[in-house]
Amino acid sequence: MSAATGRSYRRASLAPFAAAVTGVGLVTAAGTGTDAAWHGVTEGLAPSVGPRPELDGLPCDFFYSVTDCDPGEVLGVAAQRLMDRFAQLAVIAAREAVADAGLDPALWDSGRVGVVIGSAHGGLPFYDEQHAALAGRGPRRVSPKLAPLSVVNGAASSVSLDLGVHGPSQAVSTACSSGTVAIGTAHQMLRSGACDIVVAGGAESTCTRLLIASACSLKAVSTRREDPASACRPFDTHRDGFVVGEGAGLIVLEHPDHARARGARVRAHVSGYGASSDAHSAVAPDPEGLGIERALRNALADAGLSPADVGHVNAHGTSTLSNDLIEATMLRRVLGGSALVTSTKAMTGHTLGAAGGIETALTVLALQRQLVPPTVNLDAPDPRIPIDVVAKEARRASFDCAVKTSLGFGGHNAALVLTRA
């Protein structure tokens, strides 16, 4: 029972199950590749964020871009033409994650391998491009590849094709919680025995005039055009909205018996998952944070752990006025004040459906390396924020349990509990 809300949270009926995280793959504006991304995020190096010509004239004309990776060089031009950019980034991250896990797709039992990838918008840029072609040049100029390149399942499909996966391949689209829900779904698939291995996470690339213009109208994004690198400032008094970015974050999850049998190195475990719906608003979180509280408490119950066990939280932390305060207040209510909280979005941008995948991967690395990444740009902490936010510099700490929280438009909440290997 939550004393603050008077609401009960039913403990999961299944015995705790800890899926082994054996591989990580990252493509972000802070760096491409796990080591580069981790170094960029923890050192607070200048991410690749700045004006984009597609957004010229908008109140928010800047974007977090992946600039140190050419998908054409990595995938080949022919393969690249069969995927929208979000799917390209997913394939690159998946290849790294699988290699990091020490797995060879030519040798695994492909029918026992699954793929679950979250995306909020799928191939929206290609869709917009083809709409412009229809409007400006007529129906004969519309590409026959519109459906396979623009649909939300494009990343999951492309990864399964690239890796030769014959098990279940699924897409998750729950707005900005998509990547977290994808990993939670993978956890459930392994627990049920449906798969031995699942490649899971999120991918997104949505630098489109239509989407950013809409976000500007909603007053959800920062308009700090004079200094894009400092515009995203989670938990800061002067925050004025998030900044959209692109990227992909995937992890390889294995059934613990499978990982043990092959002698795999385990980076961490996904030990609990919870999800909920606010049923409050299409564009705003429940003002009391009851939905995300329910997801977090259910994730802890699923893991068989208590709030006191949590040492670190990678928060959703979008840099919007309401989200940061609601989430922080909820975290204090559930976890108390001892957990070290961070938001890494100031280094990666808000990658929408990819955020949960990228941030879960960073949480895995934080657990493994016992280092909490900083919340950069936190110059003037909001005095109403009642939690210990790690600011400016990464902080060494000793913790065995970490949490990843995610909230999405439409009231989609998700939380993961990760534990040290």
Side-chain angles (χ1 to χ4, degrees):
M1 176 80 70
S2 167
T5 65
R7 299 185 180 217
S8 61
Y9 296 89
R10 184 169 57 86
R11 178 170 292 276
S13 59
L14 295 174
F17 172 82
V21 180
T22 56
V24 175
L26 284 165
V27 182
T28 76
T32 293
T34 297
D35 290 341
W38 177 254
H39 182 65
V41 167
T42 55
E43 295 298 321
L45 303 178
S48 181
V49 54
R52 289 281 294 260
E54 304 97 312
L55 309 179
D56 187 45
L58 297 182
C60 178
D61 62 356
F62 48 98
F63 187 87
Y64 282 78
S65 305
V66 173
T67 58
D68 61 350
C69 173
D70 182 347
E73 290 183 2
V74 177
L75 305 175
V77 175
Q80 182 188 23
R81 288 174 177 168
L82 297 175
M83 307 176 216
D84 186 79
R85 185 171 172 83
F86 87 110
Q88 297 165 14
L89 301 182
V91 170
I92 293 168
R95 287 183 179 181
E96 184 192 14
V98 169
D100 183 53
L103 290 164
D104 184 349
L107 300 177
W108 64 24
D109 181 354
S110 64
R112 298 287 300 166
V113 180
V115 174
V116 188
I117 299 179
S119 179
H121 297 283
L124 183 60
F126 189 74
Y127 193 94
D128 280 359
E129 176 187 312
Q130 296 306 304
H131 182 270
L134 174 64
R137 294 182 289 170
R140 291 184 179 275
R141 303 311 297 266
V142 174
S143 171
K145 297 185 291 185
L146 176 63
L149 268 69
S150 65
V151 289
V152 173
N153 72 300
S157 171
S158 296
V159 168
S160 62
L161 284 165
D162 189 72
L163 298 178
V165 168
H166 290 96
S169 174
Q170 301 177 6
V172 170
S173 190
T174 53
C176 302
S177 66
S178 298
T180 303
V181 173
I183 293 171
T185 301
H187 179 264
Q188 294 175 331
M189 291 165 66
L190 291 166
R191 171 186 262 162
S192 73
C195 296
D196 297 324
I197 303 166
V198 184
V199 181
E204 200 84 86
S205 181
T206 56
C207 190
T208 73
R209 193 171 183 81
L210 179 65
L211 180 69
I212 305 302
S214 174
C216 291
S217 296
L218 190 60
K219 301 187 184 305
V221 292
S222 173
T223 56
R224 204 183 300 263
R225 298 172 61 189
E226 68 281 2
D227 188 11
S230 69
C232 183
R233 43 184 58 239
F235 306 118
D236 191 272
T237 297
H238 304 296
R239 64 191 184 275
D240 69 334
F242 60 82
V243 181
V244 180
E246 64 178 354
L250 299 181
I251 62 176
V252 172
L253 287 165
E254 294 187 53
H255 193 285
D257 293 343
H258 186 274
R260 192 179 304 114
R262 71 181 188 88
R265 175 202 57 182
V266 177
R267 285 186 178 269
H269 293 97
V270 174
S271 298
Y273 168 59
S276 70
S277 300
D278 283 349
H280 169 73
S281 166
V283 295
D286 182 296
E288 299 298 322
L290 301 181
I292 186 60
E293 177 179 350
R294 181 176 293 106
L296 175 54
R297 289 189 184 277
N298 285 344
L300 288 166
D302 189 38
L305 296 172
S306 72
D309 294 315
V310 179
H312 166 46
V313 179
N314 188 305
H316 192 55
T318 58
S319 185
T320 57
L321 289 171
S322 62
N323 177 94
D324 288 9
L325 182 58
I326 291 168
E327 184 180 17
T329 302
M330 180 281 300
L331 289 173
R332 180 61 182 240
R333 185 166 69 234
V334 177
L335 302 179
S338 60
L340 300 179
V341 180
T342 192
S343 170
T344 48
K345 284 184 172 67
M347 291 303 301
T348 65
H350 188 357
T351 55
L352 309 180
I358 291 170
E359 292 155 16
T360 298
L362 292 172
T363 307
V364 167
L365 298 174
L367 267 169
Q368 187 180 23
R369 302 178 186 188
Q370 295 289 277
L371 183 67
V372 177
T375 305
V376 300
N377 298 334
L378 182 50
D379 299 324
D382 187 335
R384 300 172 299 166
I385 298 291
I387 52 177
D388 186 358
V389 181
V390 176
K392 298 294 187 181
E393 295 182 355
R395 193 184 302 181
R396 287 280 171 196
S398 177
F399 55 100
D400 295 322
C401 175
V403 162
K404 170 68 205 130
T405 50
S406 292
L407 298 82
F409 276 4
H412 299 287
N413 307 296
L416 294 168
V417 174
L418 297 96
T419 51
R420 195 176 180 185

